[in-house]
Structure formats: C-alpha cells, structure tokens
Amino acid sequence: MSRSRTAVLAALALVAGASGTALAVVPGDPGIAAIPCSVDYKVQNDWGSGFTAAVTVTNNSAAKSSWAVKWAYAGSQKVTSAWNAKVTQSGTAVTAANETYNGTLATGGSVSFGFQGTYSGTNAVPTTFTLDGVTCNVDGGTGGPTDPGPTDPGPTGPGGSTKVDNPYAGAKVYVNPEWSAHAAAEPGGSRVSNQPTGVWLDRIAAINGANGGMGLRAHLDAALAQKGSGEEVVQLVVYDLPGRDCSALASNGELGPTEIDKYKTQFIDPIAAILSDSKYAGLRIVTTVEIDSLPNLVTNTGGKATATPACDTMKANGNYVKGVGYALNKLGAIPNVYNYIDAGHHGWLGWDDNFAPSAQILYQAATAEGATVDDVHGFITNTANFSALKENNFTINDSVAGKSVRESKWVDWNRYVDELSYAQAFRNQLVTTGFRSDIGMLIDTSRNGWGGSARPAGPGATTSVDTYVNGGRYDRRIHIGNWCNQAGAGLGERPKAAPAAGIDAYVWMKPPGESDGASSAIANDEGKGFDRMCDPTYTGNARNGNSMSGALANAPLSGHWFSAQFQQLMQNAYPPL
C-alpha cells in the first residue's frame, strides 16, 4: 500500500500524524466528501539554518473566489519570502492568502505556492492546517532535492514557475561593496555609493575572484547579508564568449574563437553550479547574458562597410549562438535565475536593416543548445552605453525646413531617437519573432543622463533639420557610434523598478567609474587589447562615421577604476545629484 493511501485511511480517524508526518486525502478515494480539503506540505531544500517549502492545497468544498491557508510551527521557523501567495506570520502562526491572480479555487481544484524560511534547532512539519477556518487533512514529509514530490511548484510543476513576473518589483537590489567603496572614496561619491550595480563575470578567474577581488560566492553571500527579511535582486553580467566582442579590441576576451567547449565547462558550468546552491535559493538572480555579441552577427559581417574578419569568423563557426544558447539553457534551469539577453541599443539596431534581423538572431540563440524561449525572462538595452533615455526636444515624426528628423545627420534614417522608445518597440518585435508575450526589458541608465551645463533646455533652431536636432539633443556625443569613456556624459536615472510600460527596471548594469578601455596600449594578462575608439586623438572609422572618438584621455584598462570619469559622471548627472 502506498504511503499516500495509508495516510488517507489513517486520516479518517486522525487529524495529525506522529513524528512530524503529515496526512492527506487522495482525490477519488472512498469517503472524499467527508474531507473538506487537503494540504500537501513538503520541505524541498534544507541547509540546517534555512529551508524552502512547497505547499499545495486542494479544495473539496464549494468553489472559492479567495482563500487563506493557516498553520502554526512548533519550532522557531520564520517565513522570509514567498511566491504565488501572500504569506504573513505572527509568532508561530502563519497565514498564506491568495494573490490577485490565483484567488479562484474550484471544487476539486488545487493551488500551489512556495516560500523560504529560517530556523534553528529542528524543522518539524506542521501538523494541522486550515483552509478558510476549516481543518484539512494533510500529506507530506521532508522531500528533498531528489524527492520533490508531485506538487513541486518549480518551473515546470503543476503550480507553475516560482519566478515572479518582474524580479525587481518589491525587491532591494544588491549593492556591490567593492564598487561602493570606490565610489565612496571619491569626493562627493557618497551621494551614489549606495546604488546597486552589476557584478561582471568577464573571465574564468572572476568566478573565484581575480586579483584578490570578491568571487561569485562572496558576492552572493554578501547579498544574503544585505537581504534581511525582504526580497533581494543580484545582477550578474555573464560575459566571456569565445571570440568575444569581434568588432572591438578594448573588451576582447580570454577565449579564442573556437574555444566553445572551454566556455561551457570552465565558465558557464561553474557559474551554474554556484547559482544552483540551495543556500542562494532565496535570492532573485538576474543574469545579463553576453553583451555586445549577437548583434555583431547582423551589423558587422557579410561584406558590410562595418564588417570585421573576426565577426565573419564568429558568424561562420556559430559559437556566439551556441554559447548564448548553452548559457540560457544551464542558467535558465535554476528556478531563481532570471535571464536577460543583451539587445544592443537604438544607435546600433534601430535601423530597418538591423531591427528585425537582430530579433531573429536572438531567437536563434534562445533556441540553441537545448535552450527555449522559456529560459528568457527578458532583454537589456544600452548596456555600458550612452544613448539618452528620452529625447524630449524632438521626435522621429518632426519635420523642419521640409525635411524629416530621420534625414538629420545625427539620426541618419534611424527609426528611434532615444532608448526608451527603442526598448519598447524592440520588445514588441521580439514577441512577434517568437518570444513570450510577458518578457520585460531592462535599460542601463548608468551613464546616459547627459546633464550639466551642456543639456539643452529646448529644441534647436529651425534653420535646418540638423540645427534643430543638434541644438536640442541631450546626447552630446560626436557620433552615436562612439562608445568608449565618452566626454561630457553623466549619470542617468537612478535604478528603479517598473518605470514604464514593458520595462522591468532602469539599472546601473555598468558600474559608473569603471573604464570602457584604455586610451593607450597597456600590457595586461586580462585578454584586453587596445582599441583606438578609446584614444581621444583617433579620427574614427566606418562604424562611427569617421568621426573623432570623443573618448576621455588617460583611461585605464576596461573594468578598472577611472576617477576622472566618475567625477564627470557625477557633475553631469541628470536628474542632478
């Protein structure tokens, strides 16, 4: 006789079992009409001081439009976070009430939710549960990772994914103590040193901590310490593809074009193993997957003026697509990981020739190496770039002196003039291409404020379309293709959740004050070359319209602290500090 059926027979005489074993009714068994409800409570993971649990309640009474399940702990258990239910606790008494989207509970219907908790001593399963004040009979035990039980509310379980729609909603975001210390040490830096920024895993050594710095586990442990009883997001940049950044040199990586197996086994697999640790199950881990990679396969290949031999190689060998697909598959399998793929920025992909083809190559990667669109929670734009969030002084539909804004030298026939309009439109294109309709977008606003004395107060003169656009644009770059340590840039909108339709958050994924690349050649063991786009004397190439680079002088290697840049960003911040 199965454990569940034995429990049912016992439940007809008992409400609770001994030794923490909970009892249940199995739907379809004789006597079910006498059992008003059943609750299945399972401890999924237990690491000695904390645990995660899955709960499924089945209603055998009249249909409900709302519900509340209650129980009491015999020990010191405290619920710290929950999903698919609003869980509150007073002393040992716990109440789990429906969310707005799962209040309906039909006769014979079930609903699942989960939560994380802490404890000391023992972690006994509660013995009595009620549904709307009526005592239920209970089944359960202490199923672990190898025995999650049939009602595990994991990504593919009957209870649906444990993921929330927007991981940033209602959550704090991890403040990297290393970046915070750099920022606080700068004059005036304490004004922003408490802001959350991304943690960059840009080489294999970064996983365990390079050059004495914090490794991935150290950051996650620090995030747990910051978390307290609320929700906490940790932002990671996963960035070490073979043949990385085929159109630039400052951010070239350590892996050669063919080293896809090394990328998988020495970079992605170790990251996935750490993120899978149950110790970190209560964190919301946002991964920004491989910035500045896939769009290169559209814009910098195939005989275009902007093409490079390195990008042609990566398109031919498929290792960008394979690498991103593998990362999405491995990381997406972890219930509390939220994958966001890099989607360039409007000054790169906003043209008709680039827009839809880029969505298609992103879809190709998201369905490679075992990945599916379900492994993609959303996309991020403007990562480490400078595109203005919103240009208020002109629109793409304006005409001046008989010419459209699209004909101006700055816009150059682009469909978008700023990052917000691009991100929202590209989201729609991605959904049309085959991604889920509930994907969200992130926009990196770490360096796109363009404030200070150079910020225009209104449109430019209507003498020509160029004077109109150039006089009114916030983005003061010489050319929209300039990307390295830009002179005149400022901090943008501070990180915030759900700031606009379709946007999960504004984020500072690129830590302000960390260099984009050295302004002259610097020998290093980090795989980082010298890109002339970081040289303030460089007169440009086809990718920036043969314009001056606009880069700051005396910059260190990419990722290294650049005090002069940080001071400029604070000075030109918009909104101002």
Side-chain angles (χ1 to χ4, degrees):
M1 185 177 287
S2 72
R3 180 178 63 147
S4 293
R5 184 164 179 81
T6 302
V8 169
L9 297 178
L12 299 178
L14 300 174
V15 170
S19 303
T21 301
L23 307 175
V25 63
V26 176
D29 273 358
I32 190 168
I35 308 299
C37 49
S38 63
V39 174
D40 182 85
Y41 176 113
K42 282 189 170 65
V43 176
Q44 295 180 294
N45 299 290
D46 190 318
W47 51 95
S49 60
F51 66 102
T52 60
V55 180
T56 295
V57 57
T58 300
N59 174 38
N60 296 320
S61 300
K64 299 174 180 293
S65 59
S66 64
W67 51 265
V69 178
K70 296 185 178 182
W71 68 88
Y73 284 118
S76 62
Q77 297 99 322
K78 298 290 184 185
V79 176
T80 57
S81 62
W83 44 94
N84 291 340
K86 298 173 182 175
V87 179
T88 56
Q89 184 170 355
S90 176
T92 60
V94 179
T95 299
N98 63 276
E99 294 281 8
T100 56
Y101 55 81
N102 64 357
T104 300
L105 189 53
T107 302
S110 298
V111 65
S112 297
F113 59 91
F115 61 91
Q116 181 169 329
T118 62
Y119 75 96
S120 60
T122 59
N123 185 23
V125 172
T127 58
T128 303
F129 294 80
T130 64
L131 173 62
D132 295 338
V134 177
T135 301
C136 301
N137 303 115
V138 190
D139 181 29
T142 54
T146 59
D147 179 26
T151 54
D152 173 17
T156 58
S161 172
T162 60
K163 289 183 172 65
V164 295
D165 177 62
N166 181 356
Y168 290 86
K172 296 185 295 185
V173 187
Y174 173 59
V175 177
N176 179 349
E178 293 183 309
W179 176 83
S180 183
H182 277 300
E186 294 281 345
S190 60
R191 293 173 294 174
V192 295
S193 60
N194 64 338
Q195 293 292 344
T197 55
V199 173
W200 286 55
L201 303 174
D202 60 354
R203 48 190 165 134
I204 293 168
I207 299 172
N208 290 323
N211 301 323
M214 295 171 68
L216 177 55
R217 281 193 179 275
H219 282 295
L220 295 174
D221 289 341
L224 287 176
Q226 290 181 17
K227 180 178 183 294
S229 60
E231 299 292 347
E232 176 101 344
V233 171
V234 179
Q235 303 175 122
L236 306 177
V237 178
V238 178
Y239 182 48
D240 200 25
L241 275 178
R244 191 180 76 190
D245 279 14
C246 58
S247 66
L249 297 173
S251 47
N252 280 169
E254 63 188 346
L255 302 179
T258 63
E259 292 188 284
I260 184 68
D261 290 337
K262 189 173 182 180
Y263 172 80
K264 292 177 178 180
T265 61
Q266 297 187 34
F267 185 64
I268 295 299
D269 288 354
I271 292 173
I274 292 171
L275 300 187
S276 297
D277 190 331
S278 60
K279 178 181 182 182
Y280 307 121
L283 296 171
R284 298 177 181 178
I285 300 171
V286 166
T287 60
T288 299
V289 178
E290 295 295 353
I291 65 170
D292 291 352
S293 58
L294 295 170
N296 277 307
L297 303 183
V298 174
T299 63
N300 299 322
T301 59
K304 297 181 178 71
T306 55
T308 71
C311 289
D312 283 328
T313 294
M314 298 317 299
K315 184 172 184 177
N317 67 25
N319 283 343
Y320 276 6
V321 168
K322 294 173 187 174
V324 171
Y326 187 84
L328 293 172
N329 181 21
K330 290 294 183 180
L331 301 176
I334 304 168
N336 56 316
V337 168
Y338 298 78
N339 287 324
Y340 289 79
I341 311 177
D342 187 78
H345 54 89
H346 88 277
W348 185 0
L349 304 183
W351 284 270
D352 293 344
D353 289 348
N354 302 340
F355 196 72
S358 294
Q360 291 163 5
I361 199 75
L362 291 166
Y363 182 83
Q364 182 183 344
T367 52
E369 298 289 307
T372 74
V373 294
D374 290 338
D375 294 314
V376 181
H377 204 77
F379 294 81
I380 182 170
T381 76
N382 206 45
T383 311
N385 208 268
F386 299 86
S387 295
L389 180 66
K390 185 74 177 75
E391 292 283 8
N392 293 317
N393 293 328
F394 60 94
T395 75
I396 202 68
N397 299 315
D398 293 349
S399 293
V400 175
K403 289 193 173 184
S404 163
V405 158
R406 292 190 70 205
E407 298 179 70
S408 67
K409 185 177 180 181
W410 173 255
V411 178
D412 191 26
W413 296 102
N414 200 312
R415 290 279 180 191
Y416 306 94
V417 300
D418 54 35
E419 208 57 24
L420 180 57
S421 63
Y422 164 76
Q424 290 171 323
F426 198 56
R427 179 189 176 279
N428 293 336
Q429 181 66 47
L430 290 159
V431 172
T432 299
T433 305
F435 285 98
R436 293 167 55 108
S437 61
D438 59 354
I439 56 172
M441 307 296 285
L442 306 177
I443 301 177
D444 188 345
T445 59
S446 58
R447 304 184 301 175
N448 70 349
W450 296 104
S453 59
R455 185 177 177 90
T462 56
T463 312
S464 70
V465 72
D466 284 324
T467 58
Y468 177 72
V469 170
N470 286 334
R473 60 183 169 95
Y474 300 141
D475 188 336
R476 305 314 296 171
R477 284 178 291 177
I478 298 168
H479 188 275
I480 204 166
N482 288 354
W483 55 266
C484 193
N485 300 325
Q486 291 298 286
L491 299 170
E493 289 280 351
R494 313 312 175 245
K496 65 175 68 172
I503 311 299
D504 281 352
Y506 296 152
V507 298
W508 283 7
M509 200 60 70
K510 171 71 174 183
E514 292 190 2
S515 174
D516 296 317
S519 50
S520 59
I522 299 176
N524 68 91
D525 61 356
E526 300 177 27
K528 296 169 182 174
F530 169 50
D531 196 301
R532 289 297 305 280
M533 287 295 289
C534 300
D535 177 356
T537 69
Y538 185 48
T539 55
N541 55 45
R543 288 188 292 282
N544 81 328
N546 295 298
S547 304
M548 295 297 291
S549 70
L552 293 170
N554 303 313
L557 288 172
S558 63
H560 290 227
W561 190 254
F562 189 8
S563 176
Q565 183 203 55
F566 186 73
Q567 288 294 330
Q568 174 193 262
L569 292 173
M570 290 194 296
Q571 178 182 346
N572 295 331
Y574 193 89
L577 297 179

